[in-house]
Each structure stands twice: as C-alpha cells, then as structure tokens.
Amino acid sequence: MGRDKQEKRARGADAVPASACRRLAKRAALLLLASVLLVGCSTDRDPSEFFAPNDVGTLVIDGLLMVGKPLPQVTMTRVLSPEVAYTPEASAEPGATITVQVLPDGPEVSYIESSQPGVYRPERVPTLTVEPRTSYRLRAVSTRGEVVQAQTMTPDSLQVDAWLLLDPVDLTVVRELRTYEALGDSVYFAPENQLVYAEGLLEARFARPDVDAFQLGVFSLDPDSDFVIEPEFFEEDDFDQIDRQGSSPALEALEGSVRLPWFAIFFQGRYKYKILALDRNAYDLVRSIPQNDSGFSFGNNLGGNFERPIFHVEGGIGLFGSASADSVGFFIRPRP
Amino acid sequence: MALRCSKLVVLVLALGVLLGTVSRGFAATVSGVVRDAESGAALPYAAVSLRGTSAVDSSEVALGALGDSEGRYRILDVPPGRYEVRFAFVAYGEQVDSLIVRAADEDTVLDAGLTPQPITTERVVVEAPRLGREKDVQTGVVSLQIEQLESVPSIGEPDLIRTLQLLPGVQAASDVSSGLYIRGGGPDQTLILLDDVPVYNPTHAFGFFSTFNSDAIQDVTLYKGAYPAEHGGRLGSVVDIKSRNPTSPRITGQAMISTIAARLTLEGPLGSNHWLVSGRRTYLEPILSALRRDTPEIPYYNFYDLNGRFTTRRDGSWTELNAYRGRDNLRVEPDADTSFRVEWGNTVLSAAYNRLLSNNLLLRMAASGSEYESVTRASFFNTPFAVNNRLRDFTARAELDWQRQNRAVKFGIEASLFDFQFDQSFNLDEATGFSSTPIEIAAYVDDQWAPREGTSLRLGLRSRYITDGERLLLEPRVSASQVVANGVRVKVGGGIYNQYLQLIATEGFSAADVYVPIDESATPGRSVQGVLGVSWQPSRMYELSVEGYYTDLENLVTFNNNTPADQESFAASDLFYTGGTGYATGVEFFAQRRVGRVTGWLGYTLGWSRRTFDQLNGGSTYAPKYDRRHDVKAVFNYRTGPWSYGLTFVYATGQAFTPASARYRIEDPALGGLTPGARVLPGERNSSRLLPYHRLDFSINRDFTLFGQNARAFLQFFNVYTRRNEWFVQFDNDEPDVEVVKMLPIVPSLGMHFKF
C-alpha cells in the first residue's frame, strides 16, 4: 500500500508539473490580461502635467481708450501660474508708475493707484478726453524697474445712422428704433424699441470708419429677468452657464452694417447693444485670443486654435488699445 | 493668352523630346488573364514564364512577365517558335500550357485558370532581364490585397484606410479619424485615387469610416513618398485604390452584416462583358430613434455607398466604366429654435478605354468626374446659417504605354477643369464665398528600364500648367534599384512635388472640409523628397526592409484662425498663413511574413517633422501635432482550419499639444469690466506631449458553409485592454483644471460575411 502511494506520488510527481504549468500559464495569462486592463484604464494624470509655467511673472497691461470718453483706468497685473486659480488680488501689481502721453508732443497724464490693488486711474479729474485719430503712448514702470510700453492710434468716431428692425423674409425695414440721443434711458420703453424674441432682424447701418474690424457687445440690464429661450435640450446646469452679456468675434462689416444674431439674446427685459470700431491693437487681440468657453463653444482651447494671442505690448502682454462706439437700448419680450 | 499658349507649347515639346521615339515591336505578343479556376476571380500579379526554342534561329527563348492588379499579363517580343508557358501564383497550383507562335506579328491570347492548393515554395524563374514589380523598383510602396484588409481587426467592419494606418510611416490622428498622416505629412498631402480619380473627402461619419466598401475593392497601392510621374498634385504620397474587377462567369454575390452597416455586392457576366454593383448602408436609425425619445439632441444619421463597375473586352481592347456615390446625412433637431442638418459626400464617375495599338504599345484614354459636396443648413437659437461647399474635377486623360521586355515608357497628358463653389450665409446676410474654375494641364513621361537582371532605373518628369496664376511647374522624379546580393535590393528615389489644392479641415468634423485653390496671391507648396532603402527577401515567405526618408518643404500654408468671422476675401493669402517651411525625416523598419499559417508584419518608424511659419509660435520652429518620434505597428493573422485570428498592436509617441503657460486677465473690449473670468495663456506651440498611444485589437473569424455557400462570421475587439488614450486637452480659464478628452474604450463588433 505504502509502495502504491509512493508510486502514485512518483507518477504524480511527473504529472503534476505539466498540469501545474498549464494552470500557472493560464493564471499568468489572466493576471497579465488583468494587469494590462488596469494599466490600460489608468491614463488619468495630474493637471499640472499639462502646464508649462514659463510665463509666470510676466506683466500684463489692460486699458482701452474710448473715443469721446475720458482716459480710462489702466490695470497692471502679473500672470499667475496656470496651476493656481486666478484671483485679482494675487495677480495685482501695486506701486507701479504709469503715464499716458498724447503723441507726438501732447500732454502726459500721470496715473495713481486706486483703492483696488493694481488698478490705476488718471491723477487729475477731469482728465483728458480721448480724441479720434490720435496716438497715445502708455509707459508703466513696476516697482522692480521693469518697463512696459504700448501705443495706440484711436479710430474715427463711430456713429450708427440707423438701428432697424427688418422683416426676415424680404429684409425690408419694418421700423427704425429710437436712440439714446433722442430719448435717453427711456429708450427701452419706446414702442419702436419693443422687440419680440426671434421676430425680425435687428440691423445697424453706419458710415464705415476706416478701421480693421468691429466688435459687438450685448448686455442684459435686468439681472433677475426671466429667460426668453426655452430649449428642450437644456439641463439646469446649462441655464446656469449663460451670461447676461456677450461679445462677438471681430467682424469686418465691409458693407457698413451688422445684424444682431438672436443667439446672443437669452433673457427678457432691457438690453443694451453696442458696436465698437476697434484700433489695430484691440482688433489683433479680439481676433487672436482663444475664446472664452461659455458652454457653447467647442475646441477653442485645443489644437491649432490654442495659439498665443497677438499682443502689442513691449515688455509684457495685454492690451493698450482704443475704440469708438455707438449703442442702442431695447426691450425684449417673449414670444406670444 | 499668348503667354499661356507659348508655355503650353514648351511643356509639350519638352516632354516630347524626353519621350523620344516610340517604336513598334517586330515579334509576337502573348497576353491573357490569370484567374482563379473556381471563382473566376482575377489573380493579381501572377508570374508567367515562357520557355522554348525560336523557329527563327533555333535559339533558346526565356521570357517572363508579371500580371497587373487585374490579372492581365503581356509577354512581348516573342519570336515564332514552340513554347511552354507556366503560370504560377502563391497558394495556387501551377499551370503549364503549350504554345506555338507561328508568325512574328501574331497576337496570342492565352488565359489561365489556376486551382487553389497548399503553398509550394517552388519559384517561377524568369531568366531574361525584365521589369520588376512596382514595389521592387520603387521606394516606399506597399500593396495590399483585399484579403489582407479583411483580416485586420477594425471597428464595425473592415476598413481600407484604417488598415493603411497600421503600416509603418502611416499614422492616424485619433481613433475616430480616417485621415492619413504619412511620413510626417498632413492628410491633405496625400492624394487618394479610386480607379485613377481623386476622391476629395474619403470619409464617413466625421472620419470614423472610410468611403471605400471593401467588397468593391480589388487592391490598394500606397506610395509613401517619391511617387512616380504619372501621379501629381500632392506634396507627400498617393493611395491608389482599384475597384474589384468583375470576372465571374456567372452571377455571384456576397453580403455582409456588421454592427453598423450592411453590404451587398453582385457581379456577373452580360454577354462577353462583366458588371459589378455594390452597396453599403448603415442601419443605426432604429437605435438612434429609441435614444432620441428621452434625449432630443440625439441625431438622425446614416451613410451609404454605391459602387458600380462595367468592363468589356474585345480583341486587344478593353473598356471600364466605374461609378461611385457616397453620402452622409446628419440631422439634429432638438427643438424648433435649434437645428442642424448637413449632407456631404462624393460622387465619382469614370470611363477608361484601353487598346493595344501594336504588340508593345498600349493606349489608355479616360474621362472622369469627381465631386465632393457638403451642404449645411442650421439654426442656432433662431439664428440661421447656411454653407454650400462643392468641388468638381473633370479630367480627360490619354496615356501611351510602350513596353518591351526590359523597358517601359509611359507618356501621358491630362487636362483637369476644377470647379470650386463655396458660399456661406450667416443670419440671412448676403452670401459670401468664392467661385473659381481653374484649369490644370499636366503631361508626364515615365521611363522604366531594366538594363540587366536585378537593375532597375526609372526616370520621370511631370509638367503642370495651372491657369490660376499662370504657373508652369516642372517636377522631375527618379528611382533606381539594384540587387546587391541574393534577395537583397538597394533602392533610391526622389522627386519634386507641388500642391495647388489646399484643404481647410475642421478639427474633428470632416464634413466641413473645404478645398481651396492656391491662387495668385500665394505660392503653392513644394516638397523635395529623397528616399533610400534596402529590402531583403530571404524567401518568398519573408520580406524585410529599411527605408530612410527626408522631405524638404517650402511655401507651406496653414489655415489662419485669426481672420474676422465675416471675412469676405477668399484669397489664399487671406485664408492662410503662407510661406511656411519645414521638413520630415525618419527611418522605417518593416518585416513581413507573407505566406503560411501566420502572416502579418512588424513595423517601426523613427521620425521627426517640423514646421516654421513667421506668423505662428513667434516665428520659431515647432512640431506639428502629428509628429511622432516612435511608431510601432504589429499586425498578425493566424489561420488554422476554419478559424483565423487577427491581432494588431499599435504604439506611438503621444501627440504634440500646446500647454498652458500662465493664467491672466484682460478685459474683452466690448464687455469691459463685465468680462467674465480669466484666460489661459498658451505656451510654446506643441511643446508638450500627450501620453503615448497604444492599443491592441483582436479578431476571431470562423469560416463555415451556410445553405451550401461559403460564409464567415467575425467577432472583433477594438482596444482590447480599453486603454483610454488621450485625444485632446481643453483648459479651464479660471481654475487649474484640465479636461482631457479620451479616445475610445474597448469596442466589440461582430458580423457575418457570406458569398453566394
């Protein structure tokens, strides 16, 4: 008996390794597959791996001169690392010396820091009024001695000749809207300026000044007004992402007219619609900056579209540009 | 006008001089078609040898030829005499026929029907110097038969373009892209031909599938670079796809159902002629419709293809008529205020007439039309916009193909009328766009010569005259190969190439692709290519090759994203950044096992690609996103009895992308202080890399009979270990968050293919 067992063991000793090897191989294959599957799934990585914070510390200038308006405030900040959330406080550049001079030999206006860190305003009030077709130069010196300079040539004044509501079928004029010039802030309640959402086309016609491009801005002025859109495919979150103001990309408007797209209107109530004629600096920025992702854009910050904007600032980045503008007010009512 | 005429005269004269005298032969020709004896299908590139004794001087005669892709062969300069003709093809039994040539001007037609049988390793020895196969004499050439395409795992169903993406030196932009990025070039630098006619947008489903129904395809030849003079118009490469030649003596058919589409192909005789029709259509509608009940933004979508071919053969002439039409239809109608409809596709028609003018002179004449059209109608919150985009290309072509035993000269001339029509309208504004009908006249000569066995020299010149800008372009081509040891061949090739048509492609949405001509405001792109390679065939079973390439690029253009949204000018200089330069270089290793139970290939590419534009990246050189340092491809197919298994593995260096370098805030000029949030500042262009891409695909195929007919069922797994490869990166403006959009997880698909 004992000998039988020994023989069995002996036979088993020959047989076991083969089957064990097969089992082992099978398990190894399964283990390999499982580990490969696990490895395959684990492509998540830290966001910092997508950042190359080479520009941290670069100075940023931001000021836009509006023709016919006083010299604007100028903001001076430093870029932050992409690895941190943006806050105005963290980026503010206090203590800078800033001047704006009318070229070639015009007056020079000194700026002082306002109560907001990094925000500077003309030292004297009232200050200069921005003139059309005039060059201005900004010079800013940080507390570390870094110098940032930029220059702008202001565009001609922009005067919209007519704000028209067109018939969407034959594009004939249904009526002309009243203006701020004529009615002031009561323009929103003028019968001509009562627009029903998605009925007609709002078109501005103007003598085109000699500029590269225009930009449109639309502002819902009643912060609590209801939505005028009712998209069945929206989730609650989608509504939360809609801003009450929006701007267009750069437009050539070679014919001297622009139409307001209805997709810029989301709310009922009072609206202000502004058209800007841009100088070269503002035009280059608007046309080249990756658009803000407001929930409706796709691919703005990816691939070939994610390209460094065109800045015209020596010693830093940002905008020291100019524009002229005209605007109209109206009231949006929901569809019956 | 006088200038145009004089340039044309110069062009034709120059090519005429180069062509030299086309002489007639003084001996007989033996020609025919080699077919599968069972199915009647043509056997491409079969070897034919002729041996015997000349009745003229009693000398020994040993001649040979290789068939073409449609099984046709010709042996020239056969003196009167008694011969033995042997036909051989891999995995088929050899056929030997006796032949008596009685007169020097006799043209003998001798067809062969070979029977499938296990592989033999015996070679047909062709002793006289002869012209080699295209892949032997030309650098960077890969030919794939439809059987190879079908054995490769894919998504949904076999796909020609996706199989090409598995070759070394060929890359894909993503899992959902059918674009071909070949040797560091963009997808628009590859000319895709279907029966010698360009197909301008060869994709379905936004690039997910190619337009080529594999049941209607015979084979595909890929010229990865330094392509010959008979082709032109692209800076990089050529994909030459041939429709399947219907040769069946009776009506036969095949059908396939897969996860996404169904296909049906019928072919048969009509008198002495043959025809083939094939169709493919998706059937996703019921699934999408069910999903749409709860989610109205789920689109309506389908695509279809129709292929047709008709061939006739009469006493030394044959005619081919080809037709293709494919359409994609997409509709998204989530509510009454917002909708999106786009329909796009290609239509290709061609007629080709081939006639043997003498023993060794073949005339080919062809007329073709190719159209790519995309029509978009949309309304986004009651703001309508419309885009009509169409490119038509009408081409007439004539080619003389003179061939002796060791020399072949092609002389061709072709004239193309392009018809570009593009208009777009936003918010009911007056439509803007462009309309242009330039003409291109091209003439080419291609002289291939085998001065002695194992040596091949190929010289070519392509001249192009384009009315747009009155441009005369000269493009010399050269390639040579030399057998330096048993089975070892050294190859070299090069050429100059210009690209007049430029593609504006929308990332991730191929339906919006627009071709525009490089008008007189810019200079067409130009490349100078050089390739050096060594191939080794230790046996019929194996082939190994190494090729190094360098392409110098100048006058490149790339789409200018910074134009005003309503820009009315469509001049090339307004649409593009122009004057770019660059290069692509690398080395490819390729090992292939061609016959046996296990077949497949292993490829590795080490490559660099760079671009420089004054207007981009501060004028500094950058890597295009498809630059890949390492690229590994492995494709295996194992057959045992009725079962076959396919396995592919791909590894590639991660795609280049632009990282975020900072976070800052500038007010939008129109919004001023109401500007929301901050912005991210792009860093150096494409200076970072996504994670390496890798993927394993697997397929199981089972052959069986269904109602007495051959059938095959397949089960495929794309991305077996569900590697979530990174596709692209989107940065959040305010927060240090990054959205990394991933590519496809594991995608199983199954289907059945049967013949009747």
Side-chain angles (χ1 to χ4, degrees):
Chain A
M1 187 67 183
R3 192 173 171 180
D4 284 350
K5 277 185 179 176
Q6 277 184 342
E7 282 177 356
K8 268 189 181 175
R9 277 178 193 155
R11 285 200 301 273
D14 289 331
V16 166
S19 58
C21 281
R22 279 198 294 275
R23 280 202 302 275
L24 191 64
K26 205 171 177 179
R27 284 173 187 168
L30 286 172
L31 190 65
L32 180 66
L33 181 64
S35 58
V36 160
L37 282 168
L38 287 172
V39 170
C41 297
S42 64
T43 55
D44 293 334
R45 48 182 177 151
D46 192 278
S48 64
E49 294 180 42
F50 298 93
F51 302 136
N54 302 325
D55 288 289
V56 172
T58 301
L59 287 169
V60 185
I61 281 293
D62 190 11
L64 184 72
L65 281 59
M66 295 298 297
V67 171
K69 305 281 184 186
L71 282 177
Q73 64 181 27
V74 171
T75 305
M76 190 166 175
T77 55
R78 285 186 190 273
V79 303
L80 300 178
S81 167
E83 299 171 41
V84 299
Y86 186 88
T87 62
E89 296 75 21
S91 62
E93 179 65 12
T97 305
I98 295 178
T99 57
V100 172
Q101 185 188 4
V102 183
L103 296 179
D105 301 313
E108 182 175 275
V109 176
S110 295
Y111 274 62
I112 57 170
E113 198 165 357
S114 71
S115 55
Q116 286 179 272
V119 178
Y120 300 80
R121 59 174 175 75
E123 191 173 23
R124 293 183 183 171
V125 180
T127 185
L128 294 177
T129 298
V130 176
E131 300 292 332
R133 301 184 64 79
T134 305
S135 291
Y136 294 81
R137 183 169 64 206
L138 175 142
R139 179 180 162 86
V141 182
S142 73
T143 51
R144 300 182 204 167
E146 301 144 296
V147 177
V148 179
Q149 297 187 96
Q151 190 171 314
T152 178
M153 164 72 94
T154 56
D156 271 330
S157 297
L158 175 66
Q159 177 74 50
V160 172
D161 299 325
W163 304 88
L164 303 169
L165 186 70
L166 305 183
D167 183 293
V169 177
D170 57 15
L171 302 181
T172 54
V173 176
V174 176
R175 64 177 183 268
E176 184 172 346
L177 274 65
R178 306 296 298 275
T179 62
Y180 284 112
E181 279 180 350
L183 300 177
D185 278 351
S186 62
V187 70
Y188 305 109
F189 307 105
E192 296 87 345
N193 293 27
Q194 306 304 300
L195 305 182
V196 176
Y197 174 68
E199 286 188 6
L201 291 168
L202 183 55
E203 180 173 287
R205 294 179 184 171
F206 48 87
R208 191 181 188 283
D210 182 20
V211 293
D212 289 308
F214 299 84
Q215 192 187 17
L216 314 182
V218 183
F219 305 84
S220 166
L221 302 178
D222 298 322
D224 298 321
S225 64
D226 290 335
F227 279 98
V228 75
I229 57 168
E230 300 169 326
E232 296 168 21
F233 57 95
F234 261 34
E235 308 280 341
E236 278 303 312
D237 290 353
D238 295 328
F239 285 103
D240 295 341
Q241 289 177 18
I242 296 178
D243 292 324
R244 287 193 173 260
Q245 61 284 325
S247 63
S248 75
L251 302 167
E252 279 186 320
L254 291 177
E255 309 300 325
S257 65
V258 289
R259 285 189 193 142
L260 180 69
W262 281 112
F263 67 56
I265 303 290
F266 297 106
F267 300 94
Q268 303 177 28
R270 294 177 304 142
Y271 264 90
K272 183 177 185 180
Y273 171 32
K274 189 161 75 169
I275 302 175
L276 290 87
L278 305 176
D279 82 322
R280 186 77 200 183
N281 296 357
Y283 165 58
D284 280 344
L285 181 77
V286 170
R287 73 189 174 104
S288 66
I289 200 161
Q291 297 295 301
N292 266 328
D293 186 356
S294 59
F296 293 114
S297 59
F298 172 75
N300 291 319
N301 284 352
L302 61 92
N305 296 341
F306 192 49
E307 174 70 19
R308 210 173 174 90
I310 303 170
F311 300 118
H312 294 277
V313 176
E314 288 175 39
I317 63 170
L319 172 66
F320 178 65
S322 55
S324 53
D326 199 355
S327 55
V328 70
F330 52 82
F331 197 98
I332 292 291
R333 299 186 178 281
R335 282 179 289 199
Chain B
M1 189 62 195
L3 180 64
R4 287 187 191 182
C5 290
S6 64
K7 283 183 176 175
L8 281 174
V9 169
V10 168
L11 180 151
V12 173
L13 284 179
L15 287 165
V17 169
L18 277 166
L19 179 63
T21 306
V22 175
S23 60
R24 292 174 60 89
F26 296 102
T29 299
V30 179
S31 63
V33 179
V34 185
R35 293 194 171 96
D36 180 310
E38 292 177 0
S39 69
L43 298 177
Y45 310 113
V48 186
S49 68
L50 180 149
R51 298 186 69 146
T53 308
S54 166
V56 178
D57 54 7
S58 299
S59 62
E60 286 293 313
V61 175
L63 299 170
L66 281 169
D68 64 12
S69 61
E70 293 167 357
R72 291 190 292 263
Y73 76 94
R74 271 193 300 156
I75 302 177
L76 308 171
D77 303 331
V78 182
R82 188 181 293 272
Y83 301 103
E84 187 177 76
V85 185
R86 300 167 80 90
F87 299 90
F89 189 74
V90 173
Y92 282 78
E94 196 172 290
Q95 178 176 318
V96 182
D97 290 320
S98 296
L99 174 70
I100 297 174
V101 176
R102 299 180 192 283
D105 59 351
E106 183 176 287
D107 292 339
T108 304
V109 175
L110 184 62
D111 293 340
L114 306 188
T115 307
Q117 72 173 214
I119 291 170
T120 65
T121 54
E122 185 184 350
R123 299 183 66 170
V124 173
V125 179
V126 181
E127 295 171 351
R130 60 175 174 80
L131 297 170
R133 293 172 299 173
E134 186 82 343
K135 67 190 291 294
D136 289 337
V137 299
Q138 190 74 30
T139 54
V141 175
V142 180
S143 292
L144 294 175
Q145 303 300 307
I146 194 63
E147 292 77 14
Q148 290 170 283
L149 302 178
E150 290 188 332
S151 66
V152 174
S154 189
I155 302 178
E157 58 180 64
D159 190 281
L160 186 153
I161 298 288
R162 287 183 174 274
T163 303
L164 292 178
Q165 290 172 343
L166 294 170
L167 292 167
V170 185
Q171 291 146 8
S174 71
D175 288 346
V176 295
S177 165
S178 288
L180 292 172
Y181 296 79
I182 300 176
R183 290 187 170 174
D188 61 327
Q189 294 178 8
T190 297
L191 175 66
I192 297 181
L193 298 169
L194 177 62
D195 297 317
D196 300 321
V197 185
V199 180
Y200 289 98
N201 185 296
T203 63
H204 285 303
F206 326 107
F208 210 92
F209 304 101
S210 73
T211 53
F212 305 109
N213 171 358
S214 60
D215 284 350
I217 299 300
Q218 176 99 17
D219 62 34
V220 55
T221 301
L222 168 64
Y223 296 86
K224 288 192 270 190
Y227 59 83
E230 66 189 286
H231 301 301
R234 297 295 187 277
L235 293 179
S237 43
V238 175
V239 176
D240 186 10
I241 300 159
K242 299 295 186 196
S243 293
R244 197 153 71 82
N245 211 26
T247 54
S248 174
R250 63 184 193 284
I251 293 179
T252 58
Q254 54 183 309
M256 197 190 89
I257 49 172
S258 70
T259 318
I260 56 133
R263 307 191 313 219
L264 175 65
T265 302
L266 296 171
E267 66 173 279
L270 186 66
S272 60
N273 311 312
H274 289 84
W275 54 268
L276 178 148
V277 291
S278 185
R280 171 173 65 160
R281 194 187 188 285
T282 53
Y283 40 63
L284 296 168
E285 284 98 327
I287 302 167
L288 296 176
S289 179
L291 294 170
R292 203 176 299 117
R293 282 184 206 133
D294 297 326
T295 316
E297 62 268 32
I298 295 288
Y300 300 80
Y301 175 72
N302 67 65
F303 73 75
Y304 71 85
D305 293 314
L306 289 172
N307 293 71
R309 185 169 169 89
F310 183 79
T311 62
T312 68
R313 188 178 170 87
R314 303 258 188 296
D315 301 334
S317 72
W318 62 97
T319 305
E320 299 158 2
L321 302 174
N322 299 296
Y324 166 79
R325 182 175 170 83
R327 278 291 181 278
D328 284 60
N329 295 285
L330 172 70
R331 280 189 293 141
V332 188
E333 294 171 340
D335 67 17
D337 293 342
T338 297
S339 64
F340 182 80
R341 283 189 298 136
V342 59
E343 180 182 331
W344 73 100
N346 300 275
T347 304
V348 175
L349 291 170
S350 69
Y353 174 73
N354 305 265
R355 182 169 190 81
L356 276 169
L357 299 180
S358 72
N359 286 345
N360 52 7
L361 187 62
L362 175 68
L363 169 68
R364 297 173 196 265
M365 293 194 296
S368 64
S370 179
E371 178 191 81
Y372 161 60
E373 185 178 40
S374 168
V375 177
T376 304
R377 297 285 180 275
S379 176
F380 185 60
F381 287 104
N382 298 294
T383 305
F385 69 91
V387 181
N388 298 307
N389 168 27
R390 192 186 70 199
L391 165 59
R392 284 179 174 162
D393 161 358
F394 302 99
T395 297
R397 180 176 181 171
E399 183 183 273
L400 283 170
D401 186 348
W402 175 82
Q403 202 170 100
R404 293 186 68 103
Q405 194 59 39
N406 66 340
R407 189 159 194 176
V409 179
K410 282 183 188 173
F411 170 72
I413 186 160
E414 63 185 40
S416 299
L417 167 67
F418 297 101
D419 179 10
F420 298 91
Q421 301 292 337
F422 179 86
D423 61 72
Q424 59 185 5
S425 158
F426 174 75
N427 205 15
L428 302 178
D429 280 338
E430 193 175 333
T432 58
F434 71 99
S435 172
S436 175
T437 52
I439 293 172
E440 175 173 346
I441 297 171
Y444 59 89
V445 59
D446 182 270
D447 185 352
Q448 192 177 344
W449 183 38
R452 61 177 186 271
E453 183 65 23
T455 302
S456 176
L457 182 64
R458 188 173 192 175
L459 297 172
L461 177 68
R462 188 178 182 89
S463 300
R464 301 166 63 195
Y465 176 74
I466 301 165
T467 56
D468 206 349
E470 297 191 347
R471 298 183 173 103
L472 179 62
L473 306 167
L474 291 177
E475 302 176 346
R477 317 281 168 81
V478 61
S479 68
S481 74
Q482 173 66 53
V483 174
V484 294
N486 189 24
V488 179
R489 188 182 284 270
V490 176
K491 293 186 279 189
V492 62
I496 294 178
Y497 305 84
N498 294 279
Q499 184 158 338
Y500 164 68
L501 295 181
Q502 198 66 43
L503 175 68
I504 300 174
T506 305
E507 205 149 353
F509 189 66
S510 65
D513 286 358
V514 180
Y515 275 92
V516 294
I518 298 297
D519 58 21
E520 62 276 7
S521 68
T523 306
R526 180 180 170 90
S527 71
V528 181
Q529 298 189 28
V531 186
L532 175 65
V534 179
S535 66
W536 178 39
Q537 282 185 254
S539 70
R540 286 174 68 83
M541 193 171 280
Y542 293 100
E543 179 172 356
L544 296 95
S545 66
V546 181
E547 272 193 15
Y549 61 89
Y550 184 87
T551 302
D552 185 69
L553 298 155
E554 59 182 53
N555 301 325
L556 295 175
V557 301
T558 189
F559 185 61
N560 179 356
N561 283 309
N562 296 339
T563 54
D566 60 342
Q567 178 174 283
E568 293 187 12
S569 169
F570 285 83
S573 57
D574 291 326
L575 289 174
F576 297 105
Y577 293 133
T578 60
T581 58
Y583 67 86
T585 187
V587 59
E588 289 172 13
F589 300 86
F590 186 52
Q592 186 178 14
R593 192 175 198 270
R594 299 188 296 186
V595 291
R597 282 192 167 184
V598 177
T599 56
W601 63 80
L602 189 62
Y604 168 70
T605 305
L606 176 67
W608 290 263
S609 186
R610 293 291 181 274
R611 301 287 184 271
T612 308
F613 283 86
D614 288 343
Q615 307 91 334
L616 290 175
N617 201 35
S620 299
T621 299
Y622 64 91
K625 70 175 186 177
Y626 43 85
D627 172 62
R628 302 276 193 280
R629 187 72 57 254
H630 307 286
D631 183 35
V632 178
K633 308 279 174 58
V635 175
F636 296 108
N637 189 48
Y638 173 65
R639 172 171 283 279
T640 173
W643 294 91
S644 64
Y645 305 89
L647 191 74
T648 64
F649 177 73
V650 178
Y651 173 91
T653 302
Q655 186 169 291
F657 76 97
T658 304
S661 76
R663 205 173 296 282
Y664 69 111
R665 187 174 192 279
I666 300 178
E667 291 180 353
D668 184 312
L671 301 181
L674 296 174
T675 302
R679 300 178 190 277
V680 282
L681 185 67
E684 190 179 347
R685 188 179 177 87
N686 291 345
S687 58
S688 292
R689 295 279 171 173
L690 299 177
L691 287 177
Y693 178 98
H694 54 87
R695 189 188 85 223
L696 182 75
D697 306 335
F698 179 63
S699 69
I700 307 172
N701 303 287
R702 173 73 158 83
D703 292 334
F704 59 100
T705 54
L706 186 68
F707 305 116
Q709 306 296 325
N710 293 330
R712 166 177 284 195
F714 62 84
L715 175 62
Q716 303 182 329
F717 296 93
F718 175 89
N719 197 1
V720 169
Y721 55 83
T722 203
R723 159 89 173 177
R724 300 308 306 276
N725 288 296
E726 294 174 343
W727 186 5
F728 58 82
V729 178
Q730 185 135 11
F731 296 103
D732 188 288
N733 279 318
D734 294 302
E735 299 294 327
D737 290 337
V738 177
E739 184 186 359
V740 183
V741 180
K742 304 284 180 69
M743 289 196 240
L744 296 174
I746 186 170
V747 180
S749 50
L750 54 87
M752 187 184 295
H753 193 242
F754 47 93
K755 295 182 177 179
F756 48 92

